[in-house]
Amino acid sequence: MSQIKQVKDASDIIQIIGERVPLTKAGASFKAPCPFHSEKTPSFFVSEVLQHYKCFGCGETGDVFTFLQKYEGMSFIESLRYLADRIGITLESFRPSPEDELRDRLLGILDLTKSYYHYLLTEHEAGEVARAYLKKRGINHESVKVFQIGYSLSNWDGLISYLHDKKKYSLSDLEKAGLVIRGQGGRYYDRFRGRLMFPLTNHRGQVVGFSGRVLDPTIKEAKYINSPETLLYHKSELLFGFSNLYQEIKKADEVIVTEGELDCISSTQAHVDNVVAIKGSALTRDQVQLLRRAVSRILLSLDMDDAGIEATKRAIQIIKEFDLELRVVQIKSGKDPDELAQKEPAQWREAVKASISVYEFFLQHALAKFNAGEPEGKRKIIDFLAPIFGHITHEVERDYYVKKLAKALEVTDEVVKKDILTFKDKGKLSLAGTNAAKKTQTAAVQKTHQQKIEEYLLFLLFRSQPGQVLQLGKELASHRWSIVGANQLIKFLLATTGVFNLTDFAKSLPSDLQQLVSDLYLHPEYTPLAETLKLEREWKKALLELNEAAATQEVGQITSELEKLDQKRNKTDEEELKQAELLQRIVLLKRKIQT
Ligand SMILES: [Zn+2]
Protein backbone atom coordinates (compact mmCIF):
# COMPACT_ATOMS: atom_id res chain seq x y z
CA MET A 1 0.00 0.00 0.00
CA SER A 2 1.34 3.43 -0.84
CA GLN A 3 2.09 5.66 2.12
CA ILE A 4 -0.37 8.27 0.86
CA LYS A 5 -3.15 5.70 0.95
CA GLN A 6 -1.97 4.41 4.31
CA VAL A 7 -2.08 7.91 5.81
CA LYS A 8 -5.45 8.68 4.23
CA ASP A 9 -7.02 5.45 5.46
CA ALA A 10 -5.79 5.99 9.00
CA SER A 11 -6.99 9.61 9.15
CA ASP A 12 -10.53 10.62 10.00
CA ILE A 13 -11.86 13.48 7.91
CA ILE A 14 -14.64 14.21 10.44
CA GLN A 15 -12.06 14.76 13.15
CA ILE A 16 -9.71 16.88 11.00
CA ILE A 17 -12.46 19.12 9.67
CA GLY A 18 -14.36 19.10 12.97
CA GLU A 19 -11.35 20.61 14.75
CA ARG A 20 -11.57 23.60 12.42
CA VAL A 21 -15.20 23.99 11.46
CA PRO A 22 -18.23 23.48 13.74
CA LEU A 23 -19.77 20.34 12.25
CA THR A 24 -23.24 19.23 13.18
CA LYS A 25 -24.70 15.84 12.43
CA ALA A 26 -27.07 15.73 9.48
CA GLY A 27 -28.23 12.16 9.12
CA ALA A 28 -25.36 9.96 8.05
CA SER A 29 -23.23 13.02 7.22
CA PHE A 30 -22.12 16.21 8.90
CA LYS A 31 -22.74 19.78 7.84
CA ALA A 32 -21.48 23.29 8.55
CA PRO A 33 -21.50 26.77 7.05
CA CYS A 34 -18.92 26.54 4.28
CA PRO A 35 -15.42 27.62 5.32
CA PHE A 36 -14.58 28.47 1.72
CA HIS A 37 -17.34 30.87 0.78
CA SER A 38 -19.62 33.17 2.72
CA GLU A 39 -23.03 31.83 3.66
CA LYS A 40 -25.37 31.70 6.58
CA THR A 41 -27.18 28.42 5.92
CA PRO A 42 -24.90 25.39 5.82
CA SER A 43 -24.30 23.83 2.42
CA PHE A 44 -20.97 22.25 3.30
CA PHE A 45 -21.36 18.50 3.86
CA VAL A 46 -18.82 15.96 5.07
CA SER A 47 -19.39 12.25 4.68
CA GLU A 48 -17.84 9.92 7.19
CA VAL A 49 -18.51 6.89 5.03
CA LEU A 50 -16.83 8.34 1.94
CA GLN A 51 -14.27 10.45 3.80
CA HIS A 52 -15.14 13.26 1.41
CA TYR A 53 -16.50 16.78 1.70
CA LYS A 54 -18.53 18.85 -0.69
CA CYS A 55 -20.01 22.34 -0.70
CA PHE A 56 -23.10 22.90 -2.81
CA GLY A 57 -22.73 26.64 -2.68
CA CYS A 58 -19.27 27.07 -4.15
CA GLY A 59 -18.51 23.56 -5.40
CA GLU A 60 -15.42 22.94 -3.25
CA THR A 61 -14.95 19.23 -2.85
CA GLY A 62 -12.28 16.72 -1.96
CA ASP A 63 -10.64 14.54 0.67
CA VAL A 64 -8.70 15.14 3.84
CA PHE A 65 -5.57 16.23 1.95
CA THR A 66 -7.31 18.78 -0.24
CA PHE A 67 -9.16 20.14 2.78
CA LEU A 68 -5.92 20.87 4.64
CA GLN A 69 -4.34 22.38 1.55
CA LYS A 70 -7.28 24.65 0.95
CA TYR A 71 -8.08 25.55 4.56
CA GLU A 72 -4.61 25.69 6.08
CA GLY A 73 -2.75 26.76 2.97
CA MET A 74 -0.57 23.64 3.22
CA SER A 75 1.20 22.10 0.26
CA PHE A 76 0.36 18.47 -0.47
CA ILE A 77 3.52 17.27 1.25
CA GLU A 78 2.79 19.41 4.30
CA SER A 79 -0.70 17.93 4.60
CA LEU A 80 0.75 14.44 4.23
CA ARG A 81 3.40 15.07 6.88
CA TYR A 82 0.88 16.73 9.19
CA LEU A 83 -1.48 13.73 9.05
CA ALA A 84 1.32 11.17 9.23
CA ASP A 85 2.63 12.90 12.38
CA ARG A 86 -0.77 12.83 14.01
CA ILE A 87 -1.26 9.12 13.52
CA GLY A 88 2.36 8.19 14.10
CA ILE A 89 3.30 6.95 10.64
CA THR A 90 6.89 7.57 9.56
CA LEU A 91 7.09 8.70 5.96
CA GLU A 92 9.90 6.89 4.26
CA SER A 93 10.37 6.83 0.54
CA PHE A 94 8.26 9.82 -0.33
CA ARG A 95 9.44 12.25 -2.99
CA PRO A 96 7.90 15.70 -2.78
CA SER A 97 7.14 17.64 -5.95
CA PRO A 98 9.66 20.32 -7.02
CA GLU A 99 7.25 23.05 -5.93
CA ASP A 100 6.76 21.49 -2.50
CA GLU A 101 10.53 21.22 -2.17
CA LEU A 102 10.91 24.89 -3.05
CA ARG A 103 8.28 25.92 -0.49
CA ASP A 104 10.07 23.89 2.14
CA ARG A 105 13.39 25.53 1.29
CA LEU A 106 11.95 29.04 1.30
CA LEU A 107 10.24 28.45 4.66
CA GLY A 108 13.58 27.26 6.04
CA ILE A 109 15.40 30.31 4.65
CA LEU A 110 12.84 32.76 6.03
CA ASP A 111 12.88 31.14 9.45
CA LEU A 112 16.66 31.27 9.58
CA THR A 113 16.56 34.92 8.47
CA LYS A 114 14.16 35.71 11.30
CA SER A 115 16.56 34.19 13.83
CA TYR A 116 19.49 36.02 12.25
CA TYR A 117 17.78 39.44 12.42
CA HIS A 118 16.57 38.70 15.94
CA TYR A 119 20.09 37.81 17.02
CA LEU A 120 21.48 41.05 15.54
CA LEU A 121 18.91 43.06 17.47
CA THR A 122 19.20 41.32 20.80
CA GLU A 123 22.83 40.29 21.02
CA HIS A 124 25.08 41.86 18.39
CA GLU A 125 26.81 45.20 18.94
CA ALA A 126 25.59 46.43 15.54
CA GLY A 127 22.06 46.19 16.93
CA GLU A 128 22.68 48.98 19.44
CA VAL A 129 21.15 51.62 17.16
CA ALA A 130 17.94 49.58 16.92
CA ARG A 131 17.87 48.85 20.63
CA ALA A 132 18.13 52.58 21.33
CA TYR A 133 15.25 53.18 18.91
CA LEU A 134 13.05 50.59 20.63
CA LYS A 135 13.76 52.17 23.98
CA LYS A 136 12.75 55.55 22.63
CA ARG A 137 9.53 54.08 21.18
CA GLY A 138 8.77 52.26 24.42
CA ILE A 139 8.85 48.73 22.92
CA ASN A 140 9.78 46.35 25.74
CA HIS A 141 11.77 43.08 25.82
CA GLU A 142 8.65 40.98 26.09
CA SER A 143 7.32 42.37 22.80
CA VAL A 144 10.68 41.89 21.08
CA LYS A 145 10.47 38.24 22.10
CA VAL A 146 6.78 37.63 21.33
CA PHE A 147 6.94 39.22 17.87
CA GLN A 148 10.53 38.09 17.22
CA ILE A 149 11.53 41.61 16.19
CA GLY A 150 14.95 41.94 14.57
CA TYR A 151 17.44 44.25 12.94
CA SER A 152 19.04 44.18 9.49
CA LEU A 153 22.61 45.42 9.03
CA SER A 154 23.05 48.63 7.12
CA ASN A 155 25.55 47.26 4.59
CA TRP A 156 24.52 45.87 1.20
CA ASP A 157 25.28 42.21 1.77
CA GLY A 158 24.84 41.43 5.46
CA LEU A 159 22.21 38.76 4.86
CA ILE A 160 23.88 37.50 1.68
CA SER A 161 27.16 36.81 3.45
CA TYR A 162 25.30 34.89 6.16
CA LEU A 163 22.83 32.87 4.10
CA HIS A 164 24.76 32.47 0.85
CA ASP A 165 28.46 32.60 1.74
CA LYS A 166 28.15 30.82 5.06
CA LYS A 167 24.97 28.71 4.92
CA LYS A 168 25.32 27.97 1.16
CA TYR A 169 21.79 28.85 0.09
CA SER A 170 21.57 29.84 -3.57
CA LEU A 171 21.09 33.50 -4.44
CA SER A 172 18.19 32.53 -6.64
CA ASP A 173 16.38 30.97 -3.64
CA LEU A 174 17.07 34.09 -1.57
CA GLU A 175 15.54 36.14 -4.37
CA LYS A 176 12.49 33.84 -4.48
CA ALA A 177 12.11 34.34 -0.73
CA GLY A 178 11.97 38.10 -1.38
CA LEU A 179 15.10 38.79 0.67
CA VAL A 180 17.55 39.96 -1.97
CA ILE A 181 17.29 42.06 -5.12
CA ARG A 182 19.19 41.50 -8.32
CA GLY A 183 20.69 44.78 -9.48
CA GLN A 184 21.16 45.94 -13.05
CA GLY A 185 24.66 44.55 -13.31
CA GLY A 186 23.39 41.16 -12.15
CA ARG A 187 24.77 41.62 -8.65
CA TYR A 188 22.56 40.74 -5.72
CA TYR A 189 22.09 42.94 -2.67
CA ASP A 190 20.02 42.79 0.54
CA ARG A 191 16.49 44.13 0.26
CA PHE A 192 16.34 45.20 3.92
CA ARG A 193 19.21 47.34 5.17
CA GLY A 194 19.56 49.20 8.46
CA ARG A 195 15.96 48.58 9.43
CA LEU A 196 13.94 47.34 12.37
CA MET A 197 12.60 44.00 11.15
CA PHE A 198 9.13 42.60 11.82
CA PRO A 199 8.66 38.98 10.73
CA LEU A 200 5.33 38.51 8.94
CA THR A 201 3.79 35.12 9.66
CA ASN A 202 0.91 33.25 8.12
CA HIS A 203 -1.91 32.01 10.33
CA ARG A 204 0.10 28.93 11.21
CA GLY A 205 2.98 31.02 12.53
CA GLN A 206 5.36 30.29 9.65
CA VAL A 207 7.47 33.28 8.61
CA VAL A 208 6.50 34.18 5.03
CA GLY A 209 7.97 37.68 4.74
CA PHE A 210 9.20 40.78 6.52
CA SER A 211 8.35 44.37 7.06
CA GLY A 212 11.28 46.69 7.70
CA ARG A 213 11.01 50.09 9.35
CA VAL A 214 13.64 52.72 8.72
CA LEU A 215 15.57 53.83 11.83
CA ASP A 216 17.35 56.91 10.56
CA PRO A 217 14.66 59.53 9.81
CA THR A 218 17.09 61.51 7.60
CA ILE A 219 17.41 58.69 5.08
CA LYS A 220 15.37 59.39 1.96
CA GLU A 221 13.75 55.98 1.73
CA ALA A 222 10.26 54.68 2.37
CA LYS A 223 9.45 54.50 6.08
CA TYR A 224 8.36 50.90 5.67
CA ILE A 225 9.33 48.37 3.05
CA ASN A 226 7.72 44.96 2.79
CA SER A 227 8.53 41.66 1.17
CA PRO A 228 7.32 41.50 -2.43
CA GLU A 229 4.60 38.98 -3.36
CA THR A 230 6.26 35.57 -3.44
CA LEU A 231 5.24 31.93 -3.49
CA LEU A 232 4.63 32.29 0.25
CA TYR A 233 3.88 35.95 0.92
CA HIS A 234 0.52 37.35 -0.15
CA LYS A 235 -0.18 40.79 1.25
CA SER A 236 -3.95 40.45 1.02
CA GLU A 237 -3.94 37.41 3.33
CA LEU A 238 -1.54 38.70 5.91
CA LEU A 239 -2.60 39.64 9.44
CA PHE A 240 0.27 40.78 11.62
CA GLY A 241 -0.12 39.40 15.14
CA PHE A 242 -2.83 36.86 14.29
CA SER A 243 -0.73 33.76 14.87
CA ASN A 244 1.07 35.24 17.90
CA LEU A 245 -2.13 36.39 19.63
CA TYR A 246 -4.57 33.77 18.32
CA GLN A 247 -5.52 32.40 21.77
CA GLU A 248 -6.24 35.86 23.20
CA ILE A 249 -8.23 36.82 20.09
CA LYS A 250 -10.30 33.65 20.21
CA LYS A 251 -10.96 34.03 23.90
CA ALA A 252 -12.18 37.62 23.47
CA ASP A 253 -14.39 36.62 20.49
CA GLU A 254 -13.53 40.01 19.04
CA VAL A 255 -10.49 41.48 17.37
CA ILE A 256 -9.24 45.04 16.98
CA VAL A 257 -7.91 45.71 13.50
CA THR A 258 -5.15 48.33 13.35
CA GLU A 259 -3.03 49.62 10.49
CA GLY A 260 0.56 49.04 11.55
CA GLU A 261 2.83 46.67 13.45
CA LEU A 262 3.58 49.24 16.15
CA ASP A 263 -0.16 49.85 16.76
CA CYS A 264 -0.57 46.15 17.36
CA ILE A 265 2.52 45.79 19.57
CA SER A 266 1.83 48.88 21.69
CA SER A 267 -1.72 47.72 22.21
CA THR A 268 -0.52 44.44 23.73
CA GLN A 269 1.78 46.43 26.02
CA ALA A 270 -1.31 48.30 27.20
CA HIS A 271 -2.84 44.86 27.95
CA VAL A 272 -5.22 44.83 25.00
CA ASP A 273 -4.09 41.56 23.43
CA ASN A 274 -6.86 40.77 20.94
CA VAL A 275 -5.40 42.86 18.16
CA VAL A 276 -3.94 42.51 14.64
CA ALA A 277 -2.47 44.86 12.04
CA ILE A 278 -3.40 44.79 8.37
CA LYS A 279 -0.63 47.00 6.99
CA GLY A 280 -2.68 49.77 5.47
CA SER A 281 -6.34 50.60 5.74
CA ALA A 282 -7.96 48.06 3.40
CA LEU A 283 -9.40 45.03 5.15
CA THR A 284 -9.64 42.28 2.53
CA ARG A 285 -12.01 39.35 2.15
CA ASP A 286 -9.12 36.92 2.68
CA GLN A 287 -8.28 38.56 5.98
CA VAL A 288 -11.91 38.43 7.11
CA GLN A 289 -12.01 34.74 6.14
CA LEU A 290 -9.17 34.13 8.60
CA LEU A 291 -10.54 36.36 11.34
CA ARG A 292 -13.96 34.73 11.30
CA ARG A 293 -12.35 31.47 12.37
CA ALA A 294 -11.67 33.10 15.71
CA VAL A 295 -14.20 35.87 16.33
CA SER A 296 -17.75 37.05 15.73
CA ARG A 297 -16.95 40.77 16.10
CA ILE A 298 -14.43 43.00 14.33
CA LEU A 299 -13.44 46.39 15.72
CA LEU A 300 -11.79 48.71 13.22
CA SER A 301 -9.24 51.13 14.52
CA LEU A 302 -8.04 52.77 11.32
CA ASP A 303 -7.00 56.26 10.36
CA MET A 304 -10.35 57.80 9.44
CA ASP A 305 -9.07 59.87 6.52
CA ASP A 306 -10.76 59.50 3.11
CA ALA A 307 -8.99 56.20 2.48
CA GLY A 308 -10.03 54.91 5.89
CA ILE A 309 -13.67 55.91 5.31
CA GLU A 310 -13.70 54.11 1.95
CA ALA A 311 -12.04 51.05 3.48
CA THR A 312 -14.65 51.00 6.25
CA LYS A 313 -17.49 51.16 3.70
CA ARG A 314 -15.99 48.22 1.85
CA ALA A 315 -15.53 46.37 5.13
CA ILE A 316 -19.31 46.64 5.73
CA GLN A 317 -19.94 44.78 2.48
CA ILE A 318 -17.39 42.06 3.20
CA ILE A 319 -18.42 41.54 6.79
CA LYS A 320 -22.11 41.37 5.95
CA GLU A 321 -21.42 38.35 3.76
CA PHE A 322 -19.91 36.58 6.74
CA ASP A 323 -22.54 37.54 9.28
CA LEU A 324 -20.04 39.24 11.55
CA GLU A 325 -20.53 42.35 13.65
CA LEU A 326 -18.53 45.43 12.68
CA ARG A 327 -17.66 48.20 15.11
CA VAL A 328 -15.41 51.23 15.10
CA VAL A 329 -12.95 52.28 17.80
CA GLN A 330 -12.87 56.06 17.94
CA ILE A 331 -9.87 57.98 19.22
CA LYS A 332 -11.07 61.49 19.93
CA SER A 333 -7.62 62.98 20.45
CA GLY A 334 -6.62 62.18 16.87
CA LYS A 335 -3.66 60.07 18.01
CA ASP A 336 -3.00 56.70 16.36
CA PRO A 337 -3.44 53.55 18.48
CA ASP A 338 0.33 53.19 18.89
CA GLU A 339 0.73 56.64 20.39
CA LEU A 340 -2.36 56.42 22.58
CA ALA A 341 -1.54 52.95 23.89
CA GLN A 342 2.01 54.09 24.70
CA LYS A 343 1.16 57.41 26.34
CA GLU A 344 -2.30 56.79 27.77
CA PRO A 345 -2.81 53.04 28.03
CA ALA A 346 -5.95 53.48 30.14
CA GLN A 347 -7.48 55.73 27.49
CA TRP A 348 -6.74 53.14 24.81
CA ARG A 349 -8.51 50.47 26.84
CA GLU A 350 -11.44 52.85 27.34
CA ALA A 351 -11.62 53.65 23.61
CA VAL A 352 -11.79 49.94 22.80
CA LYS A 353 -14.53 49.38 25.38
CA ALA A 354 -16.47 52.35 23.99
CA SER A 355 -16.45 51.10 20.39
CA ILE A 356 -19.59 51.95 18.42
CA SER A 357 -21.52 50.17 15.70
CA VAL A 358 -20.22 50.97 12.23
CA TYR A 359 -23.66 52.40 11.34
CA GLU A 360 -23.62 54.73 14.34
CA PHE A 361 -20.13 55.75 13.28
CA PHE A 362 -21.25 56.69 9.77
CA LEU A 363 -24.31 58.51 11.11
CA GLN A 364 -22.10 60.65 13.31
CA HIS A 365 -19.61 61.10 10.50
CA ALA A 366 -22.25 62.31 8.04
CA LEU A 367 -23.86 64.66 10.53
CA ALA A 368 -20.46 66.19 11.29
CA LYS A 369 -19.50 66.47 7.63
CA PHE A 370 -22.65 68.03 6.18
CA ASN A 371 -25.00 70.68 7.50
CA ALA A 372 -28.25 69.02 8.56
CA GLY A 373 -29.88 72.44 8.96
CA GLU A 374 -30.01 73.12 5.21
CA PRO A 375 -31.94 71.28 2.48
CA GLU A 376 -28.71 70.81 0.47
CA GLY A 377 -26.99 69.31 3.51
CA LYS A 378 -29.95 67.02 4.25
CA ARG A 379 -29.81 65.68 0.71
CA LYS A 380 -26.08 65.00 0.98
CA ILE A 381 -26.51 63.22 4.29
CA ILE A 382 -29.23 60.98 2.88
CA ASP A 383 -27.19 60.27 -0.27
CA PHE A 384 -24.25 59.34 1.87
CA LEU A 385 -26.09 57.16 4.39
CA ALA A 386 -28.80 55.47 2.32
CA PRO A 387 -26.45 52.99 0.61
CA ILE A 388 -24.76 52.27 3.94
CA PHE A 389 -27.95 51.74 5.95
CA GLY A 390 -29.32 49.64 3.10
CA HIS A 391 -26.84 46.97 4.15
CA ILE A 392 -28.46 46.49 7.55
CA THR A 393 -30.22 43.18 7.20
CA HIS A 394 -31.92 43.13 10.57
CA GLU A 395 -35.13 45.11 10.30
CA VAL A 396 -35.32 46.23 13.92
CA GLU A 397 -31.77 47.50 13.69
CA ARG A 398 -32.43 49.29 10.40
CA ASP A 399 -35.56 50.87 11.83
CA TYR A 400 -33.53 52.16 14.75
CA TYR A 401 -31.11 54.03 12.47
CA VAL A 402 -33.89 55.22 10.18
CA LYS A 403 -35.63 56.83 13.16
CA LYS A 404 -32.39 58.34 14.41
CA LEU A 405 -31.54 59.80 11.03
CA ALA A 406 -35.09 61.09 10.46
CA LYS A 407 -34.96 62.86 13.80
CA ALA A 408 -31.60 64.45 13.04
CA LEU A 409 -32.84 65.69 9.65
CA GLU A 410 -36.26 66.68 10.99
CA VAL A 411 -38.08 64.65 8.37
CA THR A 412 -40.50 61.73 8.71
CA ASP A 413 -39.28 58.12 8.94
CA GLU A 414 -41.05 57.38 5.66
CA VAL A 415 -38.86 59.80 3.72
CA VAL A 416 -35.68 58.11 4.96
CA LYS A 417 -37.09 54.62 4.41
CA LYS A 418 -38.06 55.47 0.85
CA ASP A 419 -34.59 56.75 0.05
CA ILE A 420 -32.95 53.64 1.41
CA LEU A 421 -35.28 51.48 -0.65
CA THR A 422 -34.53 53.50 -3.79
CA PHE A 423 -30.85 52.80 -3.35
CA LYS A 424 -31.57 49.13 -2.84
CA ASP A 425 -33.67 48.96 -5.98
CA LYS A 426 -31.02 50.66 -8.06
CA GLY A 427 -28.92 47.64 -7.24
CA LYS A 428 -26.20 49.83 -5.80
CA LEU A 429 -25.93 47.34 -2.98
CA SER A 430 -25.38 44.31 -5.11
CA LEU A 431 -22.68 42.31 -3.47
CA ALA A 432 -19.98 40.22 -4.94
CA GLY A 433 -19.73 36.62 -3.88
CA THR A 434 -23.21 35.51 -4.81
CA ASN A 435 -22.00 34.35 -8.22
CA ALA A 436 -21.24 30.88 -6.96
CA ALA A 437 -24.81 30.38 -5.79
CA LYS A 438 -26.18 31.69 -9.07
CA LYS A 439 -23.96 29.38 -11.06
CA THR A 440 -25.18 26.30 -9.19
CA GLN A 441 -28.74 27.38 -9.75
CA THR A 442 -28.33 27.65 -13.51
CA ALA A 443 -26.57 24.31 -13.56
CA ALA A 444 -29.56 22.82 -11.78
CA VAL A 445 -31.98 24.35 -14.27
CA GLN A 446 -30.10 22.85 -17.18
CA LYS A 447 -30.45 19.32 -15.85
CA THR A 448 -33.05 17.28 -17.70
CA HIS A 449 -35.95 15.65 -15.94
CA GLN A 450 -34.39 12.27 -16.54
CA GLN A 451 -31.05 13.33 -15.05
CA LYS A 452 -32.78 14.51 -11.92
CA ILE A 453 -34.56 11.21 -11.44
CA GLU A 454 -31.34 9.37 -12.09
CA GLU A 455 -29.59 11.41 -9.41
CA TYR A 456 -32.36 10.71 -6.95
CA LEU A 457 -32.31 6.97 -7.62
CA LEU A 458 -28.55 6.73 -7.23
CA PHE A 459 -28.74 8.82 -4.07
CA LEU A 460 -31.32 6.35 -2.69
CA LEU A 461 -29.19 3.45 -3.85
CA PHE A 462 -26.10 4.56 -1.94
CA ARG A 463 -28.14 5.46 1.11
CA SER A 464 -29.73 1.99 1.27
CA GLN A 465 -28.83 -0.74 3.73
CA PRO A 466 -25.52 -2.31 2.62
CA GLY A 467 -27.21 -5.68 2.30
CA GLN A 468 -29.68 -4.30 -0.25
CA VAL A 469 -27.44 -2.24 -2.51
CA LEU A 470 -26.43 -5.01 -4.91
CA GLN A 471 -29.99 -6.30 -5.18
CA LEU A 472 -31.32 -2.83 -5.96
CA GLY A 473 -28.43 -2.19 -8.33
CA LYS A 474 -29.55 -5.12 -10.47
CA GLU A 475 -32.87 -3.38 -11.05
CA LEU A 476 -30.93 -0.63 -12.78
CA ALA A 477 -28.85 -2.92 -14.98
CA SER A 478 -30.70 -2.30 -18.23
CA HIS A 479 -31.06 1.46 -17.90
CA ARG A 480 -29.03 3.67 -20.20
CA TRP A 481 -27.84 6.53 -18.04
CA SER A 482 -27.66 10.13 -19.07
CA ILE A 483 -25.48 11.17 -16.10
CA VAL A 484 -21.86 11.12 -17.24
CA GLY A 485 -20.04 8.14 -15.78
CA ALA A 486 -23.14 6.44 -14.38
CA ASN A 487 -23.12 3.58 -16.93
CA GLN A 488 -19.59 2.74 -15.88
CA LEU A 489 -20.41 3.16 -12.20
CA ILE A 490 -23.26 0.63 -12.39
CA LYS A 491 -20.97 -1.79 -14.22
CA PHE A 492 -18.46 -1.55 -11.38
CA LEU A 493 -21.25 -1.99 -8.86
CA LEU A 494 -22.63 -5.13 -10.53
CA ALA A 495 -19.15 -6.61 -10.68
CA THR A 496 -18.81 -6.31 -6.89
CA THR A 497 -18.83 -9.57 -5.00
CA GLY A 498 -19.33 -10.39 -1.35
CA VAL A 499 -20.89 -8.06 1.19
CA PHE A 500 -21.27 -4.56 -0.14
CA ASN A 501 -19.49 -1.80 1.74
CA LEU A 502 -19.75 1.75 0.40
CA THR A 503 -16.41 2.95 1.77
CA ASP A 504 -14.49 0.06 0.18
CA PHE A 505 -16.50 0.29 -3.01
CA ALA A 506 -15.73 4.01 -3.40
CA LYS A 507 -12.05 3.42 -2.72
CA SER A 508 -11.88 0.77 -5.45
CA LEU A 509 -13.10 3.25 -8.10
CA PRO A 510 -11.13 5.55 -10.40
CA SER A 511 -11.05 9.07 -9.00
CA ASP A 512 -13.68 10.58 -11.32
CA LEU A 513 -16.17 7.90 -10.32
CA GLN A 514 -15.22 8.33 -6.67
CA GLN A 515 -16.17 11.96 -7.07
CA LEU A 516 -19.45 10.97 -8.72
CA VAL A 517 -20.35 8.69 -5.81
CA SER A 518 -19.52 11.49 -3.40
CA ASP A 519 -21.63 13.98 -5.36
CA LEU A 520 -24.57 11.59 -5.40
CA TYR A 521 -24.25 10.51 -1.80
CA LEU A 522 -24.03 14.12 -0.62
CA HIS A 523 -26.69 15.44 -2.96
CA PRO A 524 -27.64 18.99 -1.92
CA GLU A 525 -31.39 18.59 -2.18
CA TYR A 526 -31.75 15.11 -0.78
CA THR A 527 -29.03 14.92 1.87
CA PRO A 528 -30.94 17.04 4.40
CA LEU A 529 -33.96 14.75 3.97
CA ALA A 530 -32.04 11.49 4.14
CA GLU A 531 -33.14 10.58 7.66
CA THR A 532 -36.85 11.10 7.09
CA LEU A 533 -37.16 9.42 3.69
CA LYS A 534 -38.96 6.08 3.49
CA LEU A 535 -36.27 4.57 1.30
CA GLU A 536 -38.16 1.55 0.00
CA ARG A 537 -41.25 3.48 -1.02
CA GLU A 538 -39.17 6.27 -2.58
CA TRP A 539 -37.14 3.73 -4.50
CA LYS A 540 -40.20 2.12 -6.09
CA LYS A 541 -41.66 5.49 -6.98
CA ALA A 542 -38.42 6.81 -8.46
CA LEU A 543 -37.77 3.64 -10.42
CA LEU A 544 -41.22 3.87 -12.02
CA GLU A 545 -40.59 7.48 -12.83
CA LEU A 546 -37.22 6.67 -14.32
CA ASN A 547 -38.70 4.03 -16.60
CA GLU A 548 -41.38 6.45 -17.61
CA ALA A 549 -38.88 9.23 -18.31
CA ALA A 550 -36.73 6.83 -20.31
CA ALA A 551 -39.80 5.68 -22.27
CA THR A 552 -40.86 9.26 -22.93
CA GLN A 553 -37.43 10.06 -24.21
CA GLU A 554 -37.49 7.02 -26.49
CA VAL A 555 -40.91 8.01 -27.78
CA GLY A 556 -39.43 11.37 -28.69
CA GLN A 557 -36.58 9.75 -30.60
CA ILE A 558 -38.84 7.32 -32.43
CA THR A 559 -41.26 10.08 -33.37
CA SER A 560 -38.51 12.06 -35.05
CA GLU A 561 -37.31 8.94 -36.87
CA LEU A 562 -40.84 8.27 -38.05
CA GLU A 563 -41.16 11.83 -39.26
CA LYS A 564 -38.04 11.38 -41.36
CA LEU A 565 -39.42 8.19 -42.83
CA ASP A 566 -42.78 9.84 -43.54
CA GLN A 567 -41.09 12.47 -45.65
CA LYS A 568 -39.74 9.85 -48.04
CA ARG A 569 -42.04 9.23 -51.02
CA ASN A 570 -40.67 5.94 -52.22
CA LYS A 571 -39.76 3.77 -49.31
CA THR A 572 -37.79 0.58 -49.65
CA ASP A 573 -39.25 -2.64 -48.20
CA GLU A 574 -36.75 -2.36 -45.48
CA GLU A 575 -37.93 1.12 -44.60
CA GLU A 576 -41.56 0.03 -44.64
CA LEU A 577 -40.69 -2.71 -42.21
CA LYS A 578 -38.80 -0.33 -40.00
CA GLN A 579 -41.75 2.04 -39.95
CA ALA A 580 -44.08 -0.75 -38.81
CA GLU A 581 -41.67 -1.81 -36.12
CA LEU A 582 -41.29 1.72 -34.83
CA LEU A 583 -45.04 2.21 -34.73
CA GLN A 584 -45.45 -0.97 -32.74
CA ARG A 585 -42.70 0.07 -30.35
CA ILE A 586 -44.32 3.45 -29.80
CA VAL A 587 -47.65 1.83 -28.93
CA LEU A 588 -45.91 -0.39 -26.37
CA LEU A 589 -44.02 2.52 -24.87
CA LYS A 590 -47.11 4.68 -24.60
CA ARG A 591 -48.97 1.90 -22.87
CA LYS A 592 -46.06 1.59 -20.45
CA ILE A 593 -46.12 5.30 -19.73
CA GLN A 594 -49.86 5.29 -19.05
CA THR A 595 -49.81 2.46 -16.53
ZN1 LIG B 1 -18.69 26.72 -0.22
Side-chain angles (χ1 to χ4, degrees), residues 34 37 55 58:
C34 179
H37 84 282
C55 170
C58 64

XYZ file of all heavy atoms in Angstrom, residues 34 37 55 58, ligand 1:
29
model
N -20.129 26.837 5.055
C -18.923 26.543 4.283
C -17.747 27.419 4.714
O -17.879 28.630 4.804
C -19.202 26.756 2.803
S -17.756 26.451 1.787
N -16.626 29.723 1.335
C -17.345 30.865 0.785
C -18.278 31.381 1.880
O -18.470 30.733 2.902
C -18.076 30.506 -0.520
C -19.420 29.867 -0.334
N -19.582 28.540 0.003
C -20.666 30.376 -0.417
C -20.865 28.251 0.092
N -21.562 29.352 -0.152
N -19.166 21.176 -0.955
C -20.010 22.341 -0.700
C -20.873 22.584 -1.924
O -20.385 22.650 -3.038
C -19.174 23.575 -0.421
S -20.201 25.052 -0.398
N -20.390 26.628 -3.317
C -19.271 27.067 -4.152
C -18.625 25.915 -4.914
O -17.743 26.126 -5.739
C -18.226 27.776 -3.303
S -17.434 26.721 -2.077
Zn -18.690 26.716 -0.216
